[in-house]
């Protein structure tokens, strides 16, 4: 939790104001942040200086694991996070590729589970990784990437947390996740939870011990309309100890994640937090 608050403070102390054309807002911005989560010791990086909605964050990531391309499927899992980008983004609404209400196009999980090959067949990046890790194989390219520049116009948003690399050292599994753009008050709150839960889940279904998750961020920003709440409210609060994430031990395969898992299979123990803060969201 300290590293999150330190990053927020660093943006305020050292950030540069950058005009963002896509949203029409200014962002206070720093380049390069490295965060680290101790998954092996279950130090769940849930924000405590405001109420955090971890189930939304995990639901969103489970949707990526399933290769969802529709905001309605995300809502059914328990998160509304894709509603705005699927249905309110001007460029996407006017795109000939949008298939209708709630369609997100070929974003995130679609690339992860069915990357289009030149011959028209598809490639399942995640299944290859899970199969290898289960068999104790790390070919030094256990990489899941959602980043497909050739298909950007086929989706509503370019992926922010775009690449995840798994590494096996003996029987301990580590994860390195890369993020190109980070809305620190809103998005990072979710992304921290997702990086942690992704390593915990893949370690569980491949029968490995979870180690560390390394989260590497390039552009970390606070939107102009979020700054006051961050500076005068959230950063004035003292953090509580990290809680723990309990995952249903009956989840043992990728197929389980694809079929019956719901948010009821995740529980947080020992979460103490301050009051909620409602940060503005930019589409
Ligand atoms: N500007 C922007 N910031 C983001 O963080 C972001 C995007 N756009 N677009 C794509 C996804 C969607 N994400 C989102 C979207 C909404 C919330 C949000 O409103 N969170 C609230 C309430 C969550 C809830 O009630 O479940 C929060 O207080 O954290 C968070 C992340 C992260 N991403
Ligand atoms: O997982 C996510 C997804 C999105 N974000 C934020 C980062 C930016 O503020 C916007 C995306 O805008 P771009 O113009 O495409 O960079 O969404 C996030 O923090 N985490």
């Amino acid at each position: 939790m300290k590293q999150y608050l330190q990053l927020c403070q660093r943006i305020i102390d050292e950030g540069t104001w950058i005009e963002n054309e896509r949203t029409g807002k200014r962002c206070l911005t720093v380049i390069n942040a490295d965060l680290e989560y101790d998954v092996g010791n279950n130090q769940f990086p849930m924000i405590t200086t405001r109420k955090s909605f971890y189930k939304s964050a995990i639901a969103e990531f489970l949707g990526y694991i399933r290769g969802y391309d529709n905001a309605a499927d995300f809502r059914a899992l328990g998160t509304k996070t894709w509603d705005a980008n699927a249905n309110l983004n001007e460029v996407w609404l006017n795109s000939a590729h949008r298939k209708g209400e709630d369609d997100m196009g070929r974003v995130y999980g679609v690339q992860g589970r069915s990357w289009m090959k030149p011959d028209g067949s598809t490639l399942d990046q995640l299944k290859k990784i899970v199969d290898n890790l289960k068999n104790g194989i790390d070919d030094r390219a256990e990489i899941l990437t959602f980043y497909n520049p050739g298909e950007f116009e086929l989706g509503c948003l370019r992926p922010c947390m775009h690449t995840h690399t798994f590494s096996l050292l003996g029987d301990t599994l580590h994860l390195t996740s890369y993020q190109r753009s980070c809305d620190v008050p809103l998005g990072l709150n979710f992304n921290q939870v997702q990086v942690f839960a992704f390593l915990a889940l893949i370690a569980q279904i491949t029968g490995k011990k979870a180690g560390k998750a390394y989260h590497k961020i390039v552009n970390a920003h606070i939107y102009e309309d979020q700054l006051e709440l961050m500076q005068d409210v959230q950063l004035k609060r003292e953090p509580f100890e990290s809680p723990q994430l309990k995952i249903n031990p009956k989840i043992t395969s990728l197929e389980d994640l694809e079929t019956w898992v719901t948010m009821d299979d995740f529980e947080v123990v020992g979460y103490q937090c301050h009051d909620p803060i409602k940060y503005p969201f930019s589409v």
Side-chain angles (χ1 to χ4, degrees):
M1 180 72 228
K2 282 223 172 67
Q3 57 184 349
Y4 177 81
L5 297 173
Q6 279 164 1
L7 174 58
C8 298
Q9 193 60 54
R10 191 183 131 213
I11 297 176
I12 288 167
D13 295 340
E14 300 168 17
T16 304
W17 280 110
I18 300 291
E19 203 67 54
N20 179 252
E21 210 182 294
R22 197 181 64 75
T23 56
K25 291 186 190 167
R26 287 189 316 149
C27 293
L28 198 53
T29 305
V30 298
I31 298 301
N32 191 42
D34 276 299
L35 304 174
E36 199 177 305
Y37 316 121
D38 190 348
V39 184
N41 288 311
N42 206 342
Q43 297 275 297
F44 190 43
M46 207 171 147
I47 301 300
T48 61
T49 46
R50 72 178 180 100
K51 189 172 181 359
S52 176
F53 301 90
Y54 77 99
K55 287 208 178 191
S56 270
I58 295 180
E60 183 177 280
F61 212 83
L62 186 59
Y64 300 158
I65 289 175
R66 291 183 176 177
Y68 284 173
D69 67 353
N70 194 285
D73 291 332
F74 280 86
R75 283 197 298 280
L77 265 185
T79 183
K80 296 187 182 129
T81 47
W82 279 95
D83 289 5
N85 285 102
N87 297 319
L88 298 177
N89 166 340
E90 268 315 309
V91 177
W92 181 237
L93 287 176
N94 293 324
S95 165
H97 300 294
R98 185 171 179 267
K99 293 193 296 265
E101 182 78 6
D102 286 327
D103 182 35
M104 297 156 55
R106 293 187 57 79
V107 293
Y108 285 89
V110 180
Q111 302 295 349
R113 303 306 308 272
S114 49
W115 180 283
M116 195 69 76
K117 297 209 293 191
D119 65 5
S121 63
T122 59
L123 186 108
D124 188 342
Q125 301 180 60
L126 184 59
K127 186 166 185 316
K128 172 258 176 182
I129 293 170
V130 170
D131 286 346
N132 268 5
L133 296 176
K134 250 192 326 210
N135 291 312
I137 297 166
D138 169 1
D139 68 3
R140 299 192 290 200
E142 302 303 347
I143 299 174
L144 173 69
T145 186
F146 301 142
Y147 207 74
N148 187 350
E151 295 199 344
F152 282 164
E153 70 275 18
L154 305 184
C156 65
L157 194 76
R158 299 162 301 170
C160 289
M161 208 155 67
H162 57 81
T163 299
H164 302 272
T165 303
F166 287 94
S167 306
L168 203 49
L169 292 183
D171 61 356
T172 303
L173 189 65
H174 303 280
L175 171 63
T176 308
S177 296
Y178 305 86
Q179 184 161 359
R180 65 168 177 84
S181 173
C182 183
D183 175 343
V184 172
L186 273 182
L188 187 51
N189 184 31
F190 273 36
N191 295 136
Q192 296 202 134
V193 163
Q194 292 170 336
V195 169
F196 183 101
F198 193 31
L199 176 55
L201 279 171
I202 299 299
Q204 184 164 317
I205 67 172
T206 57
K208 304 299 168 198
K209 275 193 226 142
K212 292 262 172 71
Y214 304 97
H215 187 176
K216 298 181 178 295
I217 300 168
V218 178
N219 183 308
H221 49 264
I222 299 176
Y223 286 91
E224 55 188 330
D225 51 6
Q226 298 171 326
L227 188 60
E228 207 176 289
L229 279 173
M230 177 57 79
Q231 204 163 8
D232 299 343
V233 184
Q234 193 166 1
L235 280 173
K236 294 268 191 301
R237 297 173 172 177
E238 275 303 315
F240 296 103
E241 284 297 307
S242 290
Q244 296 203 325
L245 177 67
K246 301 267 183 241
I247 300 177
N248 183 349
K250 294 204 174 91
I251 303 174
T252 58
S253 69
L254 188 51
E255 205 193 338
D256 291 343
L257 290 172
E258 288 163 354
T259 52
W260 56 262
V261 171
T262 69
M263 288 316 106
D264 295 341
D265 296 299
F266 299 88
E267 190 193 342
V268 162
V269 181
Y271 183 54
Q272 247 192 302
C273 67
H274 291 268
D275 289 342
I277 301 176
K278 242 191 147 13
Y279 281 107
F281 175 78
S282 298
V283 183

